[in-house]
């Protein structure tokens, strides 16, 4: 009976529970389990980037076999990525377009200045919190009822949204009654649109702005405005939607093609970019860029991250045999799995010569 | 005085004799552009006047994607129905369409009537075509 459908699927339990939920940690905030709401199908690893989620997934990782692939949300991975992102206060607190007001000047002692710098560093760390990297969401194809009698009575479809304030947006019921009588769950795009209409979020438009079309993106990339693109993308789309992932990948590809890694350094998108490049095995350009800027710690941690994610490649095995550290790690990687191995070795040589000449001079 | 059980009389400035709470559509919008709010109000109140609580909205004109949007605050609707509110036929039909209630019998009846009318029209149209075709 259609009337009992809504009651029936509140009691059903979704089969695709997230790892964190199976571990017992609350996923979508701290919701009481007694109400038994139907969570919409979440892909594995769909956790918000919160400390509780990171703990849950790292616990899950330690419980599982050693062949478990490290996720974006692991403690070690996050530490490496935050270290590589760096913290340039001048860049994080760059002047933005805002209401014009006359500048204020403060007279401070050394101690007060240190205090202010410390506060600024804390605020910058909050701003550099990385947006989540999730797998693409599965399309929703759930039919709740099929009433063939209603076929042909209506010309337009009805979209019903549940406006209850206390449920999270992911669990909201949004159903569509088609003109042919089928009552189905709304697709992800329809869901996002309805939630934006009834619960508008700042910075998000109902229809995605034209700036996200191919040619407009290329114009922006030629103007070196990758950071703006990514900020707009994070504001407009959900982290697991196809558009979000596609635009992010496009931006990262363009950066990698032209070697403009420094645009994203000290922004919250650097970690995501590094994660994408390491997964695609395209870290050569980034390595060269880091060695040229004398960021040897970052270069070594990048190679360590690469070995964590691809532990069965030549590079990782050789490194383990030789127990290479620091520069030797990079040399091993350059010899075995790098596409631009020659360039990396050349840059390393140049760096070492510069180091030795500098130490000889001083 | 039949007040709903869970609503304290202190909240209500005016009490009605033999009145009851109703969940109904209140019309707002402009000329040639209706827009309904799903509202819990005393049944003696004017249609668009002061109400107890707004429980949702219904836009009868389809938007650019061909959708008619209906928002329903199901938790509060459940609360008012539990407190003894009545429902008008359009609200019952909407709730039936969305699956919260079973399909309203008049929805089914109207659908069947429409189907029969269309079948009759189709058969009479084909008869007319046959009659024109037969003598020639």
């Amino acid at each position: 009976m259609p009337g009992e459908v809504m009651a029936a699927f509140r009691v059903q339990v979704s089969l695709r529970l997230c790892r964190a939920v199976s571990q017992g940690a609350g996923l979508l905030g701290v919701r009481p389990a007694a109400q038994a709401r139907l969570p919409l199908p979440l892909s594995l690893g769909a956790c918000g980037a919160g400390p509780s989620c990171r703990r849950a997934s790292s616990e899950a990782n330690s419980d599982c076999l050693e062949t478990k692939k490290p996720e974006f949300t692991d403690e070690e991975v996050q530490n490496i990525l935050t270290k590589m992102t760096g913290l340039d206060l001048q860049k994080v607190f760059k002047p933005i377009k805002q209401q014009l007001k006359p500048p204020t000047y403060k007279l401070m002692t050394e101690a007060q200045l240190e205090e202010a710098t410390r506060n600024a560093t804390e605020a910058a760390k909050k701003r550099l919190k990385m947006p989540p990297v999730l797998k693409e969401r599965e399309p929703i194809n759930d039919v709740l009822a099929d009433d063939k009698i209603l076929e042909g009575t209506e010309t337009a479809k009805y979209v019903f949204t549940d406006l209850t304030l206390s449920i999270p947006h992911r669990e909201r019921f949004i159903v569509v009654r088609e003109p042919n009588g089928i009552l189905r769950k709304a697709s992800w795009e329809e869901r996002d649109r309805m939630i934006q209409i009834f619960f508008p979020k700042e910075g998000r438009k109902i229809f995605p702005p034209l700036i996200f079309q191919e040619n407009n993106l290329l114009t922006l990339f030629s103007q070196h405005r990758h950071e703006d693109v990514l900020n707009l993308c994070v504001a407009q789309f959900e982290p697991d939607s196809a558009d979000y992932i596609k635009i992010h990948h496009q931006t990262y590809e363009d950066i990698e093609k032209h070697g403009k890694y420094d645009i994203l350094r000290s922004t919250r998108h650097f970690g995501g970019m590094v994660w994408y490049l390491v997964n695609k095995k395209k870290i050569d350009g980034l390595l060269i860029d880091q060695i040229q800027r004398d960021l040897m710690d970052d270069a070594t941690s990048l190679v360590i991250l690469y070995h964590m994610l691809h532990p069965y490649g030549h590079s990782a095995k050789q490194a383990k045999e030789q127990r290479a550290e620091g520069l030797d790690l990079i040399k091993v990687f350059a010899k075995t799995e790098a596409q631009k191995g020659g360039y990396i070795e050349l840059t390393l040589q140049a760096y070492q010569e510069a180091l030795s000449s500098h130490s000889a001079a001083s | 005085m039949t007040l709903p059980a869970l609503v304290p009389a202190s909240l209500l400035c005016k009490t009605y004799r033999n009145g009851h709470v109703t969940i109904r559509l209140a019309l707002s919008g402009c000329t040639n552009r209706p827009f309904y709010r799903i509202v819990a109000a005393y049944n003696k109140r004017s249609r668009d006047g002061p109400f107890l609580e707004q429980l949702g909205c219904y836009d009868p004109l389809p938007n650019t994607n061909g959708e008619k949007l209906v928002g329903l605050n199901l938790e509060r609707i459940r609360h008012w129905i539990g407190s003894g509110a009545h429902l008008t036929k359009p609200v019952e039909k909407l709730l039936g369409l969305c699956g919260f209630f079973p399909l309203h019998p008049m929805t089914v009846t109207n659908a069947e009537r429409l189907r029969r009318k269309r079948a009759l029209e189709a058969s009479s149209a084909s008869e007319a075509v046959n009659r024109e075709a037969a003598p020639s």
Side-chain angles (χ1 to χ4, degrees):
Chain A
M1 264 227 71
E4 287 157 6
V5 167
M6 293 277 270
F9 60 59
R10 282 191 183 250
V11 176
Q12 262 179 38
V13 174
S14 165
L15 292 170
R16 272 126 124 257
L17 289 174
C18 178
R19 247 185 287 134
V21 175
S22 60
Q23 290 287 330
L27 175 65
L28 296 154
V30 192
R31 296 214 46 78
Q35 288 225 2
R37 292 194 185 278
L38 176 75
L40 290 166
L42 302 163
S43 53
L44 283 173
C47 306
S52 60
C53 262
R54 260 181 241 161
R55 255 180 270 127
S57 48
S58 56
E59 279 169 358
N61 276 331
S62 57
D63 289 345
C64 299
L65 308 164
E66 280 176 34
T67 48
K68 196 76 209 153
K69 196 177 156 176
E71 295 281 332
F72 183 73
T73 41
D74 292 349
E75 291 279 355
E76 301 168 20
V77 175
Q78 285 289 314
N79 287 339
I80 294 177
L81 293 175
T82 27
K83 230 177 356 128
M84 276 206 263
T85 314
L87 193 83
D88 184 10
L89 282 176
Q90 298 299 326
K91 190 167 175 187
V92 173
F93 294 111
K94 207 166 39 179
I96 49 167
K97 205 169 168 184
Q98 57 185 304
Q99 187 80 22
L100 263 182
K101 39 181 206 265
T104 51
Y105 297 95
K106 287 188 187 162
L107 199 60
M108 290 199 220
T109 61
E110 279 286 338
Q112 280 174 332
L113 185 64
E114 273 172 27
E115 169 86 33
T117 337
R118 230 181 313 131
N119 291 339
T121 327
E122 290 301 320
K125 279 201 190 115
K126 268 197 217 115
R127 278 210 199 177
L128 291 181
K129 189 170 154 195
M130 292 183 231
V133 173
L134 307 168
K135 286 203 204 95
E136 199 175 315
R137 53 195 181 189
E138 310 275 344
I140 306 177
N141 295 321
D142 218 352
V143 169
L144 301 172
D146 192 0
D147 299 305
K148 297 203 181 48
I149 335 149
L150 295 178
E151 191 154 347
T153 50
E154 299 285 342
T155 44
K157 46 185 167 166
Y158 284 85
V159 180
F160 298 93
T161 317
D162 184 9
L163 301 180
T164 317
L165 292 168
S166 57
I167 43 172
H169 290 322
R170 289 268 160 164
E171 290 178 6
R172 218 166 268 286
F173 283 117
I174 303 183
V175 293
V176 177
R177 174 74 79 171
E178 299 273 354
N180 57 4
I182 295 180
L183 183 67
R184 61 171 174 85
K185 284 194 186 167
S187 66
W188 282 113
E189 289 79 29
E190 286 167 349
R191 283 189 65 85
D192 287 338
R193 219 169 355 108
M194 291 303 126
I195 290 171
Q196 179 56 18
I197 289 174
F198 288 109
F199 303 97
K201 194 171 144 189
E202 211 185 308
R204 200 174 274 206
K205 306 246 165 75
I206 296 180
F207 295 108
L210 297 170
I211 217 171
F212 292 119
Q213 284 172 358
E214 292 288 336
N215 38 352
N216 297 328
L217 276 183
L218 290 173
T219 327
L220 279 176
F221 290 157
S222 62
Q223 292 173 356
H224 305 287
R225 293 174 67 180
H226 301 78
E227 195 193 336
D228 297 333
V229 169
L230 290 177
N231 285 335
L232 279 169
C233 184
V234 169
Q236 177 66 34
F237 299 110
E238 292 283 307
D240 51 0
S241 67
D243 288 317
Y244 178 98
I245 293 173
K246 192 177 73 159
I247 292 170
H248 275 254
H249 287 345
Q250 264 183 310
T251 321
Y252 298 149
E253 288 287 334
D254 186 83
I255 290 180
E256 205 263 328
K257 198 166 70 162
H258 299 290
K260 303 176 194 166
Y261 306 100
D262 202 43
I263 302 180
L264 288 192
R265 199 164 270 137
S266 202
T267 60
R268 57 186 176 143
H269 306 289
F270 194 76
M273 180 183 75
V274 170
W275 183 255
Y276 171 77
L277 292 174
V278 176
N279 276 318
K280 296 273 172 177
K281 299 193 181 185
K282 287 184 183 174
I283 61 174
D284 304 339
L286 183 56
L287 257 182
I288 296 170
D289 182 76
Q290 280 171 334
I291 300 171
Q292 280 173 344
R293 287 177 204 267
D294 295 339
L295 299 162
M296 293 320 290
D297 298 328
D298 291 349
T300 40
S301 46
L302 180 61
V303 184
I304 292 170
L305 184 65
Y306 182 87
H307 290 162
M308 269 206 290
L309 273 171
H310 305 283
Y312 298 120
H314 295 290
S315 169
K317 286 197 181 131
Q318 273 218 338
K320 232 170 152 181
E321 284 165 29
Q322 298 174 10
R323 289 169 196 270
E325 294 282 323
L327 289 176
D328 301 323
L329 251 186
I330 310 178
K331 283 183 192 151
V332 163
F333 172 76
K335 277 193 209 102
T336 48
E337 277 193 38
Q339 270 103 29
K340 303 183 200 166
Y343 278 119
I344 301 179
E345 287 182 358
L346 272 174
T347 0
L348 263 178
Q349 260 186 339
Y351 169 77
Q352 274 172 326
E353 281 167 20
L355 243 189
S356 53
S357 66
H358 184 79
S359 55
S362 62
Chain B
M1 173 64 212
T2 50
L3 277 177
L6 298 177
V7 177
S10 54
L11 285 182
L12 316 160
C13 5
K14 182 167 181 179
T15 55
Y16 289 98
R17 245 184 72 242
N18 305 329
H20 51 85
V21 177
T22 305
I23 300 178
R24 61 190 183 191
L25 299 177
L27 178 65
S28 52
C30 314
T31 320
N32 293 323
R33 206 308 177 206
F35 181 82
Y36 297 98
R37 287 165 290 138
I38 302 168
V39 132
Y42 280 115
N43 74 323
K44 290 296 186 191
R45 282 273 188 210
S46 49
R47 182 196 66 192
D48 298 339
F51 48 83
L52 290 163
E53 187 179 349
Q54 179 170 354
L55 305 168
C57 59
Y58 165 49
D59 182 6
L61 299 186
N63 65 4
T64 40
N65 293 59
E67 305 158 342
K68 293 186 188 173
L69 303 184
V70 182
L72 302 160
N73 192 338
L74 290 174
E75 195 199 315
R76 295 303 299 169
I77 292 177
R78 243 179 283 148
H79 168 270
W80 281 112
I81 296 178
S83 311
H86 295 212
L87 296 152
T88 53
K89 288 206 199 69
V91 173
E92 283 182 354
K93 287 185 180 163
L94 274 181
L95 289 175
L97 277 184
C98 83
F100 193 62
F101 280 4
L103 266 192
H104 198 263
M106 281 314 288
T107 322
V108 177
T109 314
N110 285 332
E112 286 176 354
R113 286 177 188 166
L114 192 66
R115 191 165 286 199
R116 259 178 247 144
K117 196 172 88 166
R118 285 208 186 122
L120 207 63
E121 280 171 9
S123 62
S124 65
S126 61
E127 266 186 44
V129 163
N130 285 340
R131 257 181 271 125
E132 278 172 39
S136 62

